[in-house]
């Protein structure tokens, strides 16, 4: 089979290795909607895999070669899967075509006339979700893949019946270079994933290559606050729209930004120097103003009115784990946030500063050893903006501890700024510490891309 093109009409069964991942599960459900049988494997059951099983997928919680049965037409795997994986090796031995997730997603978007790909080091999930709300409000009936759980679409996938496809575009392992965007959004470009990229210049080069994928009749939307934005757009033959702060050269900008008592922003929408409307957001933080500008830019290109864009944004109440209000215990407000990069932590704490609080407590779980080592000083500086910091153990994710780094090192960096900081090794001990030390009126943020959310959930029980 030619893996540069898939005739879905001839597909009977596709197997997904690592089917429980947020993107893989969405692809599996999209395939099932086409009437194709799905099987898959993962290490453990989750809400996502249980929902897939209820929808008819066959899932095995063991990754072994015997999962590759007769009748499988294609095996899709994530970039995190080792070349030594038994299922992958068995598929190759049986001459069953195999395809990495990014390539498969790229081929799926070719099925649509319009493919909007939202890229950036931060803000992809929120901006994709905002655009989904706007397009639904504008009756554009999009198919949407989100890298998080969006309650308004019932999960991480919305299956539409139009020619509009919207997805996040992740730069890690250059996944987004396998895509076919007709509208490409770049929200920001900063250092991250340094276990793959050499440095910031390597990252910038990848984003430039991503924008080169846009055809001449397509559109690039670029945040003009990115250093040397012309580097990304030089030589492009497609239309380019810039977003940024009012008073600059940006095509779409925000003027008269105001913040309410819950850190939610409102602003005047300025297009090519003229006020075109007023936008009120239900999500917190000024960084989301610029995410919303990018979503508006894409939606206007697809024929949505400014009024529908404003209404769509007004209806967007956030995605899980993005400054998500969880509840209260003993008068302490609990917020959960996915921030795991210094820039994201800064944005979250800037938001928290405008949110009702007495003291701000952050329980931070660093994500991966490589990221912790690469941004050790930056973590210390940004976390020190909280009143109290508790460090949990590093969430290893795809890595093994070979770098000699730990959360103790992060705690030492925070302590240099005079901030009250504690390193506590287990979640149970952290929960007891918080019960005994947080007081009424405090704001507690559980922060990180791992399972730190469970601390807040346990406290709220």
């Amino acid at each position: 089979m030619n893996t540069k093109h898939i005739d879905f009409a001839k597909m009977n069964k596709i197997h997904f290795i690592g089917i429980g991942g947020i993107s893989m599960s969405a692809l599996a459900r999209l395939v099932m909607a086409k009437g194709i049988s799905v099987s898959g494997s993962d290490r453990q059951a989750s809400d996502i895999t249980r929902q897939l099983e209820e929808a008819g997928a066959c899932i095995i919680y063991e990754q072994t070669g015997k999962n590759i049965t007769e009748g499988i037409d294609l095996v899709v795997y994530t970039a995190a899967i080792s070349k030594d994986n038994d299922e992958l090796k068995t598929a190759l031995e049986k001459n069953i075509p195999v395809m990495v997730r990014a390539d498969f997603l790229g081929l799926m978007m070719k099925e649509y006339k319009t493919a909007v790909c939202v890229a950036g080091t931060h803000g992809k999930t929120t901006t994709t979700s905002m655009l989904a709300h706007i397009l639904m409000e504008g009756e554009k009936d999009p198919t949407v893949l989100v890298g998080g759980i969006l309650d308004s679409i019932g999960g991480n996938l919305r299956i539409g019946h139009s020619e509009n496809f919207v997805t996040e575009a992740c730069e890690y392992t250059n996944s987004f270079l396998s895509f076919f965007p007709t509208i490409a959004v770049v929200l920001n470009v900063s250092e991250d994933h340094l276990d793959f990229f050499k440095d910031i210049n390597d990252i910038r080069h990848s984003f430039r290559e991503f924008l080169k994928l846009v055809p001449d009749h397509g559109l690039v939307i670029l945040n003009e606050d990115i250093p040397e934005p012309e580097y990304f757009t030089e030589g492009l033959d497609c239309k380019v729209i810039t977003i940024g702060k009012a008073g600059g050269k940006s095509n779409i900008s925000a003027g008269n930004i105001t913040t309410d008592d819950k850190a939610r922003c409102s602003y005047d929408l300025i297009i090519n120097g003229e006020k075109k409307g007023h936008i009120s957001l239900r999500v917190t933080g000024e960084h989301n103003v610029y995410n919303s500008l990018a979503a508006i830019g894409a939606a206007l290109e697809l024929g949505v009115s400014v009024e529908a864009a404003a209404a769509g944004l007004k209806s967007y109440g956030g995605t899980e784990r993005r400054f998500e209000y969880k509840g209260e215990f003993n008068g302490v407000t609990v917020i959960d946030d996915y921030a795991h990069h210094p820039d994201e932590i800064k944005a979250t704490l800037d938001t928290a500063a405008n949110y009702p609080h007495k003291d701000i407590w952050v329980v931070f779980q660093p994500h991966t050893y490589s990221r912790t080592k690469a941004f050790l000083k930056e973590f210390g500086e940004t976390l020190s903006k909280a009143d109290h910091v508790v460090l949990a153990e590093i969430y290893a994710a795809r890595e093994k501890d070979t770098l000699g780094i730990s959360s103790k090192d992060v705690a030492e960096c925070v302590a240099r700024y005079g901030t009250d900081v504690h390193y506590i090794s287990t979640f149970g001990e952290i929960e007891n510490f918080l019960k005994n030390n947080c007081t009424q009126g405090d704001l507690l943020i559980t922060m990180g891309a791992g399972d730190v959310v469970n601390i807040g959930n346990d406290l709220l029980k």
Side-chain angles (χ1 to χ4, degrees), residues 349-408:
L349 291 179
D350 285 347
T351 299
N354 292 308
Y355 198 87
H357 67 276
K358 190 171 71 174
D359 278 3
I360 296 174
W361 289 79
V362 170
V363 180
F364 181 59
Q365 180 187 42
H367 187 262
T368 71
Y369 300 102
S370 59
R371 183 181 283 114
T372 306
K373 186 175 180 67
F375 297 114
L376 188 60
K377 292 181 180 178
E378 291 85 352
F379 281 134
E381 181 179 358
T382 52
L383 288 167
S384 70
K385 306 303 180 185
D387 298 299
H388 311 275
V389 178
V390 178
L391 269 300
E393 286 286 5
I394 293 172
Y395 188 84
R398 56 188 173 267
E399 296 182 347
K400 293 182 179 179
D401 183 8
T402 60
L403 299 175
I405 195 82
S406 81
S407 291
K408 290 180 182 178

Side-chain angles (χ1 to χ4, degrees), residues 226-245:
I226 299 171
E228 300 176 11
E230 63 279 0
Y231 168 83
F232 300 95
T233 57
E234 185 178 4
L236 295 182
D237 294 321
C238 64
K239 180 179 177 181
V240 175
I241 288 175
T242 55
I243 62 167
K245 296 175 181 175

Side-chain angles (χ1 to χ4, degrees), residues 105-118 131 135 143 162-169 179-185 210 213-215 217-220 298 302:
L105 174 54
L107 291 181
M108 291 210 74
M109 68 181 65
K110 288 182 76 175
E111 300 279 302
Y112 297 81
K113 180 181 178 181
T114 301
V116 185
C117 296
V118 180
L131 180 55
L135 293 180
T143 293
S162 73
E163 289 295 307
N164 300 315
F165 184 89
V166 181
T167 186
E168 297 181 29
F179 293 175
F180 296 89
T182 58
I183 298 178
V185 178
F210 167 65
L213 299 174
V214 179
H217 64 273
L219 169 67
V220 162
L302 294 176

Side-chain angles (χ1 to χ4, degrees), residues 24-265:
M24 289 284 274
S25 61
L27 289 173
R29 288 174 57 204
L30 196 51
V31 162
M32 292 167 72
K34 293 179 178 291
I36 301 169
S37 295
V38 163
S39 63
S41 65
D42 217 297
R43 293 177 180 175
Q44 59 187 22
S46 65
D47 289 341
I48 287 175
T49 60
R50 282 186 281 270
Q51 290 169 5
L52 283 170
E53 288 178 299
E54 289 171 4
C58 175
I59 301 178
I60 308 99
Y61 297 102
E62 179 185 14
Q63 293 185 339
T64 175
K66 65 183 181 182
N67 297 340
I68 308 302
T69 56
E70 294 300 320
I72 292 175
D73 298 306
L74 176 68
V75 171
V76 181
Y77 63 99
T78 69
I81 295 297
S82 164
K83 298 298 182 185
D84 294 329
N85 179 277
D86 280 347
E87 288 175 283
L88 186 57
K89 288 196 298 183
T90 302
L92 292 170
E93 289 167 2
K94 291 186 174 184
N95 292 318
I96 297 173
V98 301
M99 187 178 293
V100 71
R101 179 201 64 86
D103 290 345
F104 185 72
L105 174 54
L107 291 181
M108 291 210 74
M109 68 181 65
K110 288 182 76 175
E111 300 279 302
Y112 297 81
K113 180 181 178 181
T114 301
V116 185
C117 296
V118 180
T121 316
H122 327 292
K124 294 184 289 293
T125 296
T126 295
T127 305
T128 302
S129 300
M130 287 177 166
L131 180 55
H133 269 249
I134 293 172
L135 293 180
M136 288 189 292
E137 181 68 31
E139 299 183 346
K140 296 299 180 180
D141 194 19
T143 293
V144 184
L145 273 73
V146 188
I149 303 301
L150 181 59
D151 288 341
S152 58
I153 64 172
N156 58 338
L157 172 70
R158 180 187 192 273
I159 299 176
H161 300 88
S162 73
E163 289 295 307
N164 300 315
F165 184 89
V166 181
T167 186
E168 297 181 29
C170 182
E171 75 276 15
Y172 185 55
T173 68
N174 281 328
S175 291
F176 60 2
L177 299 187
S178 297
F179 293 175
F180 296 89
T182 58
I183 298 178
V185 178
V186 175
L187 302 167
N188 40 64
V189 180
S190 57
E191 282 187 310
D192 198 8
H193 301 303
L194 295 177
D195 57 326
F196 176 78
F197 294 109
K198 297 175 185 175
D199 52 29
I200 184 61
N201 291 327
D202 191 21
I203 296 168
R204 285 169 61 86
H205 175 264
S206 285
F207 274 92
R208 185 170 70 171
E209 292 301 303
F210 167 65
L211 294 182
K212 286 181 180 178
L213 299 174
V214 179
D216 293 353
H217 64 273
L219 169 67
V220 162
I221 299 173
L222 182 72
N223 186 339
E224 205 165 43
D225 291 338
I226 299 171
E228 300 176 11
E230 63 279 0
Y231 168 83
F232 300 95
T233 57
E234 185 178 4
L236 295 182
D237 294 321
C238 64
K239 180 179 177 181
V240 175
I241 288 175
T242 55
I243 62 167
K245 296 175 181 175
K249 300 178 182 178
S250 301
N251 301 111
I252 303 177
S253 60
N256 301 318
I257 300 172
T258 59
T259 304
D260 69 10
D261 60 357
K262 288 290 180 69
R264 298 170 297 201
C265 291

Side-chain angles (χ1 to χ4, degrees), residues 305-320:
S305 68
V306 169
E307 292 75 19
L313 289 168
K314 186 87 172 178
S315 72
Y316 173 61
T319 314
E320 283 189 11

